[in-house]
Amino acid sequence: MIKEIAEGVIQFAGMSNVYVLLEEKIVIDTGERGDYEELKKAVSDYVNPEDIRKVIFTHLHYDHTGNVDLFSNAQVYASKKAIVSFEKDPFGTVLNKDIVELLQSVKLNPVEDMDGLKIIEVPGHTKGS
């Protein structure tokens, strides 16, 4: 299910929420792998997934990172703490072997180095949330 929650911001409500900032061509979280086809269709109604410039992960659990490959041209961002956690213990950070392999195929950039958005740390659920 997809809906516009604010002007230029859509939300895909699958196993986990995915947000798309249309003007900026930014995706926040990519949802659970089982939602791939439905997410692809829903997002494509608004923007070509290949035109997404940035993917930002709130954290690196599998249900938030499972469709990163849908946005093949995007730079991918996570917090420095999440990236360090992933480098030290990929499975313990992601909780799914297949998604670990998927994430190891992309470059994770520190969100703290990204321009254009103010990122607020909300610790508790995972390191670097």
Side-chain angles (χ1 to χ4, degrees):
M1 173 182 182
I2 198 159
K3 64 181 176 180
E4 189 167 348
I5 60 170
E7 186 175 339
V9 179
I10 58 170
Q11 173 192 26
F12 173 81
M15 294 295 290
S16 290
N17 291 321
V18 176
Y19 300 92
V20 182
L21 286 63
L22 295 171
E23 185 175 325
E24 296 85 355
K25 294 190 173 41
I26 294 174
V27 170
I28 301 172
D29 288 339
T30 64
E32 200 270 329
R33 192 65 179 179
D35 291 333
Y36 184 91
E37 290 301 326
E38 188 178 356
L39 177 64
K40 180 179 179 180
K41 181 186 177 323
V43 169
S44 295
D45 287 344
Y46 292 87
V47 62
N48 183 338
E50 293 179 5
D51 292 340
I52 295 297
R53 297 186 325 219
K54 296 177 184 174
V55 168
I56 303 169
F57 291 127
T58 58
H59 63 291
L60 297 178
H61 282 164
Y62 68 94
D63 56 333
H64 292 260
T65 58
N67 299 304
V68 66
D69 56 332
L70 177 59
F71 309 102
S72 58
N73 294 325
Q75 291 182 316
V76 181
Y77 293 87
S79 73
K80 288 179 185 176
K81 289 179 184 176
I83 294 169
V84 167
S85 179
F86 180 70
E87 290 169 348
K88 287 182 180 178
D89 182 12
F91 182 80
T93 302
V94 177
L95 307 174
N96 179 295
K97 181 178 84 62
D98 294 332
I99 304 306
V100 165
E101 292 173 10
L102 184 62
L103 283 177
Q104 287 173 328
S105 72
V106 300
K107 181 179 189 306
L108 292 172
N109 299 288
V111 73
E112 294 85 351
D113 295 346
M114 186 181 73
D115 292 328
L117 291 177
K118 180 178 179 183
I119 306 297
I120 301 169
E121 184 177 10
V122 184
H125 183 59
T126 64
K127 292 179 183 172
S129 292

Coordinates of all heavy atoms in Angstrom, one line a residue, residues 28-68:
I28 N 14.1 6.4 2.0 CA 14.5 6.2 3.4 C 14.0 4.8 3.7 O 12.8 4.5 3.7 CB 13.9 7.2 4.4 CG1 14.4 8.6 4.0 CG2 14.3 6.8 5.8 CD1 13.7 9.7 4.7
D29 N 14.9 3.9 3.9 CA 14.7 2.4 4.1 C 14.2 1.8 2.8 O 13.5 2.5 2.0 CB 13.8 2.1 5.3 CG 14.6 2.3 6.6 OD1 15.8 2.4 6.6 OD2 13.9 2.5 7.7
T30 N 14.4 0.5 2.6 CA 14.0 -0.1 1.4 C 13.1 -1.4 1.7 O 12.8 -2.1 0.7 CB 15.2 -0.6 0.5 OG1 16.0 -1.5 1.2 CG2 16.1 0.6 0.2
G31 N 12.7 -1.6 2.9 CA 11.8 -2.6 3.2 C 12.3 -4.0 3.2 O 13.5 -4.3 3.0
E32 N 11.4 -5.0 3.4 CA 11.7 -6.4 3.5 C 11.7 -7.0 2.1 O 10.9 -6.6 1.2 CB 10.7 -7.0 4.4 CG 11.0 -8.4 5.0 CD 10.7 -9.5 4.1 OE1 9.7 -9.4 3.4 OE2 11.4 -10.5 4.1
R33 N 12.6 -8.0 1.9 CA 12.8 -8.6 0.6 C 11.5 -9.1 0.0 O 11.3 -9.1 -1.2 CB 13.8 -9.7 0.6 CG 14.3 -10.2 -0.7 CD 15.1 -9.1 -1.4 NE 15.6 -9.5 -2.7 CZ 16.2 -8.7 -3.5 NH1 16.5 -7.4 -3.2 NH2 16.7 -9.1 -4.7
G34 N 10.6 -9.7 0.8 CA 9.4 -10.2 0.3 C 8.5 -9.2 -0.4 O 7.5 -9.5 -1.1
D35 N 8.7 -7.9 -0.2 CA 7.9 -6.8 -0.7 C 8.5 -6.3 -2.0 O 8.0 -5.3 -2.6 CB 7.8 -5.6 0.3 CG 7.0 -6.0 1.5 OD1 6.1 -6.8 1.4 OD2 7.2 -5.4 2.6
Y36 N 9.6 -6.9 -2.6 CA 10.3 -6.3 -3.7 C 9.4 -6.0 -4.9 O 9.4 -4.8 -5.3 CB 11.4 -7.3 -4.2 CG 12.3 -6.8 -5.3 CD1 13.5 -6.1 -5.0 CD2 11.9 -6.9 -6.6 CE1 14.3 -5.6 -5.9 CE2 12.8 -6.4 -7.6 CZ 13.9 -5.8 -7.3 OH 14.7 -5.3 -8.3
E37 N 8.7 -6.9 -5.4 CA 7.9 -6.6 -6.6 C 6.8 -5.6 -6.3 O 6.5 -4.7 -7.2 CB 7.2 -7.9 -7.1 CG 8.3 -8.9 -7.7 CD 9.0 -8.3 -8.9 OE1 8.4 -7.5 -9.7 OE2 10.2 -8.6 -9.1
E38 N 6.1 -5.7 -5.2 CA 5.1 -4.7 -4.9 C 5.7 -3.3 -4.7 O 5.1 -2.3 -5.1 CB 4.3 -5.2 -3.6 CG 3.1 -4.3 -3.3 CD 2.4 -4.8 -2.1 OE1 2.7 -5.8 -1.5 OE2 1.4 -4.1 -1.7
L39 N 6.8 -3.2 -4.0 CA 7.5 -2.0 -3.8 C 7.9 -1.4 -5.2 O 7.7 -0.2 -5.4 CB 8.7 -2.1 -2.9 CG 9.6 -0.9 -2.7 CD1 8.8 0.2 -2.0 CD2 10.8 -1.3 -1.9
K40 N 8.5 -2.2 -6.0 CA 8.9 -1.7 -7.3 C 7.8 -1.1 -8.1 O 7.9 -0.1 -8.7 CB 9.6 -2.9 -8.1 CG 10.1 -2.5 -9.5 CD 10.7 -3.7 -10.2 CE 11.2 -3.4 -11.6 NZ 11.8 -4.6 -12.2
K41 N 6.7 -1.8 -8.1 CA 5.5 -1.3 -8.9 C 5.0 0.0 -8.2 O 4.7 0.9 -8.9 CB 4.4 -2.4 -8.9 CG 3.1 -1.9 -9.6 CD 2.0 -2.9 -9.5 CE 0.7 -2.5 -10.2 NZ 0.4 -1.1 -10.1
A42 N 4.9 0.0 -6.9 CA 4.3 1.2 -6.3 C 5.2 2.4 -6.5 O 4.7 3.5 -6.8 CB 4.2 0.9 -4.8
V43 N 6.5 2.3 -6.3 CA 7.5 3.4 -6.4 C 7.5 3.8 -7.9 O 7.5 5.0 -8.2 CB 8.9 3.0 -6.0 CG1 9.9 4.1 -6.4 CG2 8.9 2.8 -4.4
S44 N 7.4 2.9 -8.8 CA 7.5 3.2 -10.3 C 6.3 4.1 -10.7 O 6.4 4.8 -11.7 CB 7.5 1.9 -11.1 OG 8.7 1.3 -10.8
D45 N 5.2 4.1 -10.0 CA 4.1 4.9 -10.3 C 4.4 6.4 -10.0 O 3.7 7.3 -10.5 CB 2.8 4.5 -9.4 CG 2.2 3.2 -9.9 OD1 2.5 2.8 -11.0 OD2 1.4 2.7 -9.1
Y46 N 5.4 6.7 -9.2 CA 5.8 8.0 -8.9 C 7.2 8.4 -9.5 O 7.3 9.6 -9.9 CB 5.9 8.2 -7.4 CG 4.6 8.1 -6.7 CD1 4.0 6.9 -6.3 CD2 3.8 9.2 -6.5 CE1 2.8 6.8 -5.7 CE2 2.6 9.2 -5.9 CZ 2.1 7.9 -5.5 OH 0.8 7.8 -4.9
V47 N 8.1 7.5 -9.5 CA 9.5 7.8 -10.0 C 10.1 6.5 -10.4 O 9.9 5.5 -9.9 CB 10.3 8.5 -8.8 CG1 10.5 7.6 -7.7 CG2 11.6 9.0 -9.3
N48 N 11.0 6.6 -11.4 CA 11.7 5.5 -11.9 C 12.7 5.1 -10.8 O 13.5 6.0 -10.4 CB 12.5 5.8 -13.2 CG 13.2 4.7 -13.8 OD1 13.6 3.7 -13.1 ND2 13.5 4.8 -15.1
P49 N 12.7 3.9 -10.3 CA 13.7 3.5 -9.3 C 15.1 3.8 -9.6 O 16.0 4.1 -8.8 CB 13.4 2.0 -9.1 CG 12.0 1.8 -9.5 CD 11.8 2.8 -10.6
E50 N 15.5 3.7 -10.9 CA 16.8 4.0 -11.3 C 17.2 5.5 -11.2 O 18.4 5.8 -11.3 CB 17.0 3.5 -12.8 CG 17.0 2.0 -12.9 CD 17.1 1.5 -14.3 OE1 17.4 2.4 -15.2 OE2 17.0 0.3 -14.6
D51 N 16.2 6.3 -11.0 CA 16.5 7.8 -10.9 C 16.7 8.2 -9.4 O 17.0 9.3 -9.2 CB 15.3 8.6 -11.5 CG 15.2 8.5 -13.0 OD1 16.2 8.1 -13.6 OD2 14.1 8.8 -13.5
I52 N 16.5 7.2 -8.5 CA 16.7 7.5 -7.1 C 18.2 7.8 -6.9 O 19.0 7.0 -7.3 CB 16.2 6.4 -6.2 CG1 14.7 6.3 -6.3 CG2 16.6 6.6 -4.7 CD1 13.9 7.5 -5.8
R53 N 18.5 8.9 -6.3 CA 19.9 9.3 -6.1 C 20.5 8.8 -4.8 O 21.7 8.6 -4.7 CB 20.1 10.8 -6.2 CG 19.7 11.4 -7.5 CD 19.9 12.9 -7.6 NE 19.7 13.5 -6.4 CZ 19.1 14.7 -6.2 NH1 18.8 15.4 -7.3 NH2 19.0 15.3 -5.1
K54 N 19.7 8.7 -3.7 CA 20.2 8.4 -2.4 C 19.3 7.4 -1.7 O 18.0 7.6 -1.8 CB 20.4 9.6 -1.5 CG 21.5 10.6 -2.0 CD 21.6 11.8 -1.2 CE 22.6 12.8 -1.8 NZ 22.6 14.0 -1.1
V55 N 19.8 6.4 -1.0 CA 19.1 5.6 -0.1 C 19.7 5.8 1.3 O 20.9 5.7 1.4 CB 19.2 4.1 -0.5 CG1 18.6 3.2 0.6 CG2 18.4 3.8 -1.8
I56 N 18.8 6.1 2.2 CA 19.2 6.3 3.6 C 18.6 5.2 4.5 O 17.4 5.0 4.4 CB 18.8 7.7 4.1 CG1 19.4 8.8 3.2 CG2 19.3 7.9 5.6 CD1 18.8 10.2 3.5
F57 N 19.4 4.5 5.2 CA 18.9 3.5 6.1 C 18.8 4.0 7.5 O 19.8 4.6 8.0 CB 19.8 2.2 6.1 CG 19.8 1.5 4.9 CD1 20.9 1.1 4.2 CD2 18.6 1.1 4.3 CE1 20.9 0.4 3.0 CE2 18.5 0.3 3.1 CZ 19.7 0.0 2.5
T58 N 17.7 3.8 8.2 CA 17.5 4.2 9.6 C 18.3 3.3 10.5 O 18.8 3.7 11.5 CB 16.1 4.2 10.0 OG1 15.5 2.9 9.8 CG2 15.3 5.2 9.2
H59 N 18.5 2.0 10.0 CA 19.3 1.0 10.6 C 19.4 -0.1 9.6 O 18.8 -0.1 8.6 CB 18.8 0.6 12.0 CG 17.5 -0.1 12.0 ND1 16.3 0.6 11.8 CD2 17.2 -1.4 12.3 CE1 15.3 -0.2 11.9 NE2 15.8 -1.4 12.2
L60 N 20.2 -1.1 10.0 CA 20.6 -2.1 8.9 C 19.9 -3.5 9.1 O 20.4 -4.4 8.5 CB 22.1 -2.3 8.9 CG 22.9 -1.0 8.5 CD1 24.4 -1.3 8.5 CD2 22.5 -0.5 7.1
H61 N 18.8 -3.6 9.9 CA 18.1 -4.8 9.9 C 17.6 -5.2 8.5 O 17.2 -4.3 7.7 CB 17.0 -4.7 10.9 CG 17.4 -4.9 12.3 ND1 16.6 -4.5 13.4 CD2 18.6 -5.3 12.9 CE1 17.2 -4.7 14.5 NE2 18.4 -5.2 14.3
Y62 N 17.4 -6.5 8.3 CA 17.0 -7.0 7.0 C 15.7 -6.4 6.5 O 15.4 -6.3 5.3 CB 16.9 -8.5 7.0 CG 15.8 -9.0 7.9 CD1 14.5 -9.3 7.4 CD2 16.0 -9.1 9.3 CE1 13.5 -9.7 8.2 CE2 14.9 -9.6 10.1 CZ 13.7 -9.8 9.6 OH 12.7 -10.2 10.4
D63 N 14.8 -6.1 7.4 CA 13.5 -5.6 7.0 C 13.5 -4.1 6.6 O 12.4 -3.6 6.2 CB 12.4 -5.9 8.1 CG 12.7 -5.3 9.4 OD1 13.9 -5.1 9.8 OD2 11.8 -5.0 10.2
H64 N 14.6 -3.5 6.7 CA 14.8 -2.1 6.3 C 15.7 -2.0 5.2 O 15.8 -0.9 4.5 CB 15.3 -1.2 7.5 CG 14.3 -1.1 8.6 ND1 13.5 0.0 8.7 CD2 13.9 -2.0 9.5 CE1 12.6 -0.2 9.7 NE2 12.9 -1.4 10.3
T65 N 16.5 -3.0 4.8 CA 17.5 -3.0 3.8 C 17.3 -4.0 2.7 O 18.2 -4.0 1.8 CB 18.9 -3.2 4.5 OG1 18.9 -4.5 5.1 CG2 19.2 -2.2 5.5
G66 N 16.3 -4.7 2.7 CA 16.1 -5.9 1.8 C 16.0 -5.6 0.4 O 16.1 -6.5 -0.5
N67 N 15.7 -4.4 0.0 CA 15.5 -4.1 -1.5 C 16.4 -3.0 -2.0 O 16.1 -2.3 -2.9 CB 14.0 -3.7 -1.7 CG 13.1 -4.8 -1.3 OD1 13.2 -5.9 -1.8 ND2 12.2 -4.5 -0.4
V68 N 17.6 -2.9 -1.4 CA 18.6 -1.8 -1.8 C 18.9 -1.9 -3.3 O 19.1 -0.9 -3.9 CB 19.8 -1.9 -0.9 CG1 20.6 -3.1 -1.1 CG2 20.7 -0.6 -1.1

